[in-house]
Amino acid sequence: MAIQTLFGSASAEPNLLEKLKAGIQKTRSGLVGRIEEVFAGQKEIDADLLEELEYTLITADLGVRTVTEILEQIRLGLDRKSTGGAAEIRGLIERHLLEVLVASDGPMKPVSAPPAVIMLVGINGAGKTTTIGKLTHRFQSEGRQVMLCAADTFRAAAMEQLQVWADRNGVTMIRQTQGSDPSAVVFDALNSAKARKADYLIIDTAGRLHTKENLMAELDKMRRTAQRVVPGAPHEVWLVMDATTGQNGLEQARKFTGAAGVTGIILTKLDGTAKGGVAVAIARELNLPIRYVGVGEQIGDLLPFEPERFVESLFEK
Ligand SMILES: Nc1nc2c(ncn2[C@@H]2O[C@H](COP(=O)(O)OP(=O)(O)OP(=O)(O)O)[C@@H](O)[C@H]2O)c(=O)[nH]1
Ligand SMILES: [Mg+2]
């Protein structure tokens, strides 16, 4: 089993599927477990049962459009007598979720000359800084040299928090004093990363509300600064989204994708919610690939996302 990286594919850890299953256990029981319950003891698939099924899918936060399509397909199948039992309906749901996730998925554009510059953006507390700590660990285990850029110069203790992750991973972090212009830190860090021939430079940004236009413009300035030092940078801008916020996060996300040139999603805190189905709604509504999912607070709790593996980990017994 291989996983995709910005420098080509790498071999995945052998127990990736098991880790994913454990990480999304709440969603497994909240979605697939409840689908089983809907069918349990029912001999006939009638209107009541379909309504209950619809309710279950909606509560799992899959998104109304996807749920409506699934129900239409089931009804059509029943009319034509091509869909009969629980197993078939379950298979139909699984296939449809995969189809939706695949439609917004796509490979990362490989970076030909390092440093690969990745910027993480998102609202306050989504998990950006923690995710950078985990990404660093992951990239290092893929044999890459990583550097960090502390461009959250706003919040007190933000730089210290990132420094803890830098120390834990034994990597260099570029910082300035609190309150300095984030773009100036980006400029310094990119030059450093170039000089030291780092493979990755990961930029931590301050959490911000999508409604603050000056702060959104600041992200754009950081991108333009990066571009001046390393053509093509930032190669990836990942929007970090908290899965427990569910579909309420979609409106914020749309603003970020518009203002910050987001290229992919990292969905955090999947371990803490039964509404992990929101991955489907997010990928679909933003039409962006999900790159990683966060399944805990520890350094190893960030897993690469891949539609087939995700759906399999949800439905596999
Ligand atoms: N359970 C769980 N907790 C997580 C996950 N990712 C992050 N967290 C926790 O979420 C909290 C916020 O994480 P941060 O990394 O500080 O979030 P941030 O986006 O950098 O926050 P700001 O810099 O304030 O915008 C911390 O307590 C993390 O440990 C995850 O995948 N699962
Ligand atoms: Mg942070």
Side-chain angles (χ1 to χ4, degrees), residues 267-317:
L267 192 58
T268 60
K269 312 187 195 182
L270 270 182
D271 52 307
T273 179
K275 293 176 183 276
V278 75
V280 174
I282 287 172
R284 177 169 194 162
E285 296 305 323
L286 303 177
N287 194 25
L288 281 170
I290 297 173
R291 293 303 185 199
Y292 295 92
V293 291
V295 293
E297 296 188 276
Q298 303 307 311
I299 203 162
D301 293 336
L302 185 79
L303 306 175
F305 181 93
E306 200 255 330
E308 281 84 3
R309 204 183 294 124
F310 183 73
V311 173
E312 189 184 343
S313 68
L314 265 182
F315 283 84
E316 199 189 74
K317 289 257 159 69

Coordinates of all heavy atoms in Angstrom, one line a residue, residues 267-317:
L267 N -8.6 17.4 7.9 CA -9.8 17.3 8.8 C -9.3 16.7 10.1 O -8.9 15.6 10.2 CB -10.8 16.4 8.1 CG -12.2 16.4 8.7 CD1 -12.8 17.7 8.7 CD2 -13.1 15.4 7.9
T268 N -9.4 17.6 11.2 CA -8.9 17.1 12.5 C -10.0 16.7 13.4 O -11.2 16.9 13.1 CB -8.1 18.3 13.2 OG1 -9.1 19.4 13.3 CG2 -7.0 18.8 12.4
K269 N -9.6 16.1 14.5 CA -10.5 15.7 15.6 C -11.5 14.7 15.2 O -12.6 14.7 15.8 CB -11.1 16.9 16.3 CG -10.0 18.0 16.6 CD -10.5 19.2 17.4 CE -9.5 20.3 17.3 NZ -9.9 21.5 18.1
L270 N -11.2 13.9 14.2 CA -12.2 12.8 13.8 C -12.4 11.8 14.9 O -13.5 11.2 15.0 CB -11.7 12.1 12.5 CG -12.1 12.6 11.2 CD1 -11.5 11.7 10.1 CD2 -13.6 12.7 11.0
D271 N -11.4 11.7 15.8 CA -11.6 10.8 16.9 C -12.7 11.2 17.9 O -13.2 10.4 18.6 CB -10.2 10.7 17.7 CG -9.7 12.1 18.0 OD1 -9.6 12.9 17.1 OD2 -9.4 12.3 19.2
G272 N -13.0 12.5 17.8 CA -13.9 13.0 18.8 C -15.4 13.2 18.3 O -16.2 13.8 19.0
T273 N -15.7 12.7 17.2 CA -17.0 12.9 16.7 C -17.6 11.7 15.9 O -16.9 10.9 15.4 CB -17.0 14.1 15.7 OG1 -18.3 14.3 15.2 CG2 -16.1 13.9 14.5
A274 N -18.9 11.5 16.0 CA -19.6 10.5 15.3 C -20.0 11.0 13.9 O -20.6 10.3 13.1 CB -20.8 10.0 16.0
K275 N -19.7 12.3 13.7 CA -20.1 13.0 12.4 C -18.9 13.0 11.4 O -18.8 14.0 10.7 CB -20.7 14.4 12.7 CG -22.0 14.3 13.5 CD -22.4 15.7 13.8 CE -23.7 15.7 14.7 NZ -24.9 15.6 13.9
G276 N -18.1 12.0 11.4 CA -17.0 12.0 10.5 C -17.5 11.9 9.0 O -16.7 12.2 8.1
G277 N -18.7 11.6 8.8 CA -19.3 11.7 7.5 C -19.2 13.0 6.8 O -19.3 13.2 5.6
V278 N -18.9 14.0 7.7 CA -18.8 15.4 7.2 C -17.6 15.5 6.2 O -17.6 16.4 5.3 CB -18.5 16.4 8.4 CG1 -17.1 16.3 8.9 CG2 -18.8 17.8 8.0
A279 N -16.7 14.5 6.2 CA -15.6 14.5 5.2 C -16.2 14.5 3.8 O -15.7 15.2 2.9 CB -14.8 13.2 5.4
V280 N -17.3 13.8 3.6 CA -18.0 13.7 2.3 C -18.6 15.0 1.9 O -18.4 15.5 0.8 CB -19.1 12.6 2.4 CG1 -19.9 12.5 1.1 CG2 -18.5 11.2 2.6
A281 N -19.3 15.6 2.9 CA -19.9 17.0 2.6 C -18.8 18.0 2.3 O -19.0 18.8 1.4 CB -20.8 17.4 3.8
I282 N -17.8 18.0 3.0 CA -16.7 19.0 2.9 C -16.0 18.8 1.5 O -15.9 19.8 0.7 CB -15.6 18.9 4.0 CG1 -16.2 19.4 5.3 CG2 -14.4 19.6 3.6 CD1 -15.3 19.2 6.5
A283 N -15.6 17.6 1.2 CA -14.9 17.4 -0.1 C -15.9 17.8 -1.2 O -15.4 18.4 -2.2 CB -14.6 15.9 -0.2
R284 N -17.1 17.5 -1.1 CA -18.1 17.7 -2.2 C -18.3 19.2 -2.3 O -18.3 19.8 -3.4 CB -19.4 17.0 -1.9 CG -20.4 17.3 -2.9 CD -21.6 16.4 -2.8 NE -22.4 16.6 -4.1 CZ -23.3 15.7 -4.5 NH1 -23.5 14.6 -3.8 NH2 -23.9 15.9 -5.6
E285 N -18.7 19.9 -1.2 CA -19.1 21.3 -1.3 C -17.9 22.2 -1.6 O -18.1 23.3 -2.2 CB -19.7 21.7 0.0 CG -21.1 21.0 0.4 CD -22.1 21.1 -0.7 OE1 -22.2 22.2 -1.4 OE2 -22.8 20.1 -1.0
L286 N -16.7 21.9 -1.2 CA -15.6 22.7 -1.5 C -14.9 22.3 -2.8 O -14.0 23.0 -3.3 CB -14.6 22.7 -0.3 CG -15.1 23.1 1.0 CD1 -14.1 23.0 2.1 CD2 -15.6 24.6 1.0
N287 N -15.2 21.1 -3.2 CA -14.6 20.5 -4.4 C -13.0 20.5 -4.2 O -12.3 20.9 -5.1 CB -15.0 21.1 -5.7 CG -14.6 20.3 -6.9 OD1 -14.4 19.1 -6.8 ND2 -14.4 21.0 -8.0
L288 N -12.6 20.0 -3.0 CA -11.2 20.0 -2.8 C -10.8 18.6 -2.2 O -11.7 18.0 -1.5 CB -10.8 21.0 -1.7 CG -10.6 22.5 -2.2 CD1 -10.5 23.4 -1.0 CD2 -9.4 22.6 -3.1
P289 N -9.6 18.1 -2.5 CA -9.3 16.8 -1.9 C -9.0 17.0 -0.4 O -8.4 18.0 0.1 CB -8.0 16.5 -2.6 CG -7.4 17.7 -3.1 CD -8.6 18.7 -3.4
I290 N -9.3 15.9 0.4 CA -8.9 15.9 1.8 C -7.5 15.2 1.7 O -7.4 14.1 1.1 CB -9.9 15.1 2.6 CG1 -11.2 15.8 2.6 CG2 -9.4 14.9 4.1 CD1 -12.3 15.1 3.3
R291 N -6.5 15.8 2.4 CA -5.1 15.2 2.3 C -4.8 14.4 3.5 O -4.1 13.3 3.4 CB -4.1 16.3 2.1 CG -4.2 17.1 0.8 CD -4.0 16.2 -0.4 NE -4.0 16.8 -1.6 CZ -4.2 16.2 -2.8 NH1 -4.5 15.0 -2.8 NH2 -4.2 16.9 -3.9
Y292 N -5.2 14.8 4.7 CA -4.9 14.1 5.9 C -6.1 14.2 6.9 O -6.8 15.1 6.8 CB -3.6 14.7 6.6 CG -2.4 14.5 5.8 CD1 -1.9 15.5 5.0 CD2 -1.6 13.4 5.9 CE1 -0.8 15.4 4.2 CE2 -0.4 13.2 5.2 CZ 0.0 14.3 4.4 OH 1.1 14.1 3.6
V293 N -6.1 13.3 7.8 CA -7.1 13.4 8.9 C -6.4 13.2 10.2 O -5.5 12.5 10.4 CB -8.2 12.3 8.8 CG1 -9.1 12.6 7.6 CG2 -7.7 10.9 8.7
G294 N -6.9 14.0 11.2 CA -6.3 14.0 12.5 C -7.2 13.1 13.4 O -8.4 13.2 13.4
V295 N -6.6 12.1 14.1 CA -7.3 11.2 14.9 C -6.9 11.1 16.3 O -7.0 10.1 17.0 CB -7.3 9.8 14.3 CG1 -8.1 9.8 12.9 CG2 -5.9 9.3 14.1
G296 N -6.3 12.2 16.8 CA -5.9 12.3 18.2 C -4.8 13.4 18.4 O -4.5 14.1 17.5
E297 N -4.4 13.5 19.6 CA -3.5 14.6 20.0 C -2.0 14.2 19.9 O -1.1 15.1 20.1 CB -3.8 15.2 21.4 CG -5.2 15.7 21.4 CD -5.5 16.4 22.7 OE1 -5.9 15.7 23.7 OE2 -5.3 17.7 22.8
Q298 N -1.7 12.9 19.7 CA -0.3 12.5 19.7 C 0.4 12.7 18.4 O -0.3 12.9 17.3 CB -0.2 11.0 20.2 CG -0.9 10.8 21.5 CD -0.3 11.7 22.6 OE1 0.9 11.8 22.7 NE2 -1.2 12.3 23.4
I299 N 1.7 12.6 18.4 CA 2.5 12.9 17.2 C 2.1 12.0 16.0 O 2.2 12.4 14.8 CB 4.0 12.9 17.5 CG1 4.8 13.7 16.6 CG2 4.5 11.5 17.7 CD1 6.2 14.0 17.1
G300 N 1.7 10.7 16.3 CA 1.4 9.8 15.2 C 0.0 9.8 14.8 O -0.4 9.0 13.9
D301 N -0.8 10.7 15.3 CA -2.2 10.7 15.1 C -2.7 11.5 13.9 O -3.7 12.3 13.9 CB -3.0 11.2 16.3 CG -2.9 10.2 17.5 OD1 -2.6 9.0 17.2 OD2 -3.0 10.6 18.6
L302 N -1.9 11.5 12.8 CA -2.3 12.1 11.5 C -2.1 11.1 10.4 O -1.0 10.6 10.2 CB -1.4 13.4 11.3 CG -1.8 14.2 10.0 CD1 -3.0 15.1 10.4 CD2 -0.7 15.0 9.5
L303 N -3.2 10.8 9.7 CA -3.2 9.8 8.7 C -3.5 10.3 7.4 O -4.3 11.2 7.2 CB -4.2 8.7 9.1 CG -4.1 8.1 10.5 CD1 -5.2 7.1 10.8 CD2 -2.7 7.4 10.7
P304 N -2.8 9.8 6.3 CA -3.0 10.2 5.0 C -4.5 9.8 4.6 O -4.9 8.7 5.0 CB -2.0 9.5 4.1 CG -1.5 8.4 5.0 CD -1.7 8.8 6.4
F305 N -5.1 10.7 3.9 CA -6.5 10.4 3.5 C -6.5 9.9 2.1 O -5.9 10.5 1.2 CB -7.4 11.6 3.6 CG -8.8 11.4 3.3 CD1 -9.8 11.1 4.2 CD2 -9.3 11.5 1.9 CE1 -11.1 10.9 3.9 CE2 -10.6 11.3 1.6 CZ -11.5 11.0 2.6
E306 N -7.3 8.9 1.8 CA -7.5 8.4 0.5 C -8.9 7.8 0.4 O -9.3 7.0 1.3 CB -6.4 7.3 0.3 CG -6.0 6.9 -1.1 CD -6.6 5.6 -1.5 OE1 -6.8 4.8 -0.5 OE2 -7.0 5.4 -2.6
P307 N -9.7 8.2 -0.6 CA -11.1 7.8 -0.6 C -11.4 6.4 -0.3 O -12.2 6.0 0.5 CB -11.6 8.3 -1.9 CG -10.7 9.4 -2.3 CD -9.4 9.1 -1.7
E308 N -10.7 5.5 -1.1 CA -11.0 4.0 -1.0 C -10.7 3.6 0.4 O -11.5 2.8 1.0 CB -10.1 3.2 -1.9 CG -10.6 3.2 -3.4 CD -10.1 4.4 -4.1 OE1 -9.3 5.3 -3.5 OE2 -10.5 4.6 -5.3
R309 N -9.6 4.0 1.0 CA -9.2 3.5 2.3 C -10.2 4.0 3.4 O -10.5 3.3 4.3 CB -7.8 4.0 2.6 CG -7.1 3.1 3.6 CD -5.7 3.6 4.0 NE -4.8 3.5 2.8 CZ -4.1 4.6 2.3 NH1 -4.3 5.8 2.9 NH2 -3.3 4.5 1.3
F310 N -10.6 5.3 3.2 CA -11.5 5.9 4.2 C -12.8 5.1 4.2 O -13.4 4.7 5.2 CB -11.7 7.4 3.9 CG -12.6 8.1 4.8 CD1 -12.1 8.4 6.1 CD2 -13.9 8.4 4.5 CE1 -12.9 9.1 7.0 CE2 -14.7 9.1 5.4 CZ -14.2 9.4 6.7
V311 N -13.4 4.9 3.0 CA -14.7 4.3 2.9 C -14.6 2.8 3.4 O -15.5 2.3 4.1 CB -15.3 4.3 1.5 CG1 -16.5 3.5 1.3 CG2 -15.6 5.8 1.1
E312 N -13.5 2.2 3.0 CA -13.3 0.8 3.5 C -13.2 0.7 5.0 O -13.8 -0.1 5.6 CB -12.0 0.3 2.9 CG -11.8 -1.2 3.1 CD -10.4 -1.7 2.5 OE1 -9.8 -1.0 1.7 OE2 -10.0 -2.8 3.0
S313 N -12.5 1.7 5.6 CA -12.3 1.7 7.0 C -13.7 1.9 7.8 O -13.9 1.5 8.9 CB -11.3 2.6 7.5 OG -11.7 4.0 7.3
L314 N -14.5 2.7 7.1 CA -15.9 2.9 7.7 C -16.7 1.7 7.6 O -17.4 1.3 8.6 CB -16.6 4.0 6.8 CG -16.5 5.4 7.3 CD1 -17.4 6.3 6.3 CD2 -17.0 5.6 8.7
F315 N -16.7 1.0 6.5 CA -17.7 -0.1 6.3 C -17.2 -1.5 6.6 O -18.0 -2.4 6.9 CB -18.2 -0.1 4.8 CG -19.2 1.0 4.6 CD1 -18.8 2.3 4.3 CD2 -20.6 0.7 4.7 CE1 -19.7 3.3 4.1 CE2 -21.5 1.7 4.5 CZ -21.1 3.0 4.2
E316 N -15.8 -1.6 6.6 CA -15.3 -3.0 6.8 C -15.6 -3.4 8.3 O -15.4 -2.6 9.2 CB -13.8 -3.0 6.6 CG -13.3 -4.4 6.3 CD -11.7 -4.4 6.3 OE1 -11.1 -4.2 7.4 OE2 -11.2 -4.5 5.2
K317 N -16.0 -4.6 8.4 CA -16.3 -5.1 9.8 C -15.1 -5.2 10.6 O -14.0 -5.5 10.2 CB -16.9 -6.5 9.7 CG -18.4 -6.5 9.1 CD -19.4 -6.7 10.1 CE -20.8 -6.2 9.7 NZ -21.5 -6.8 8.7

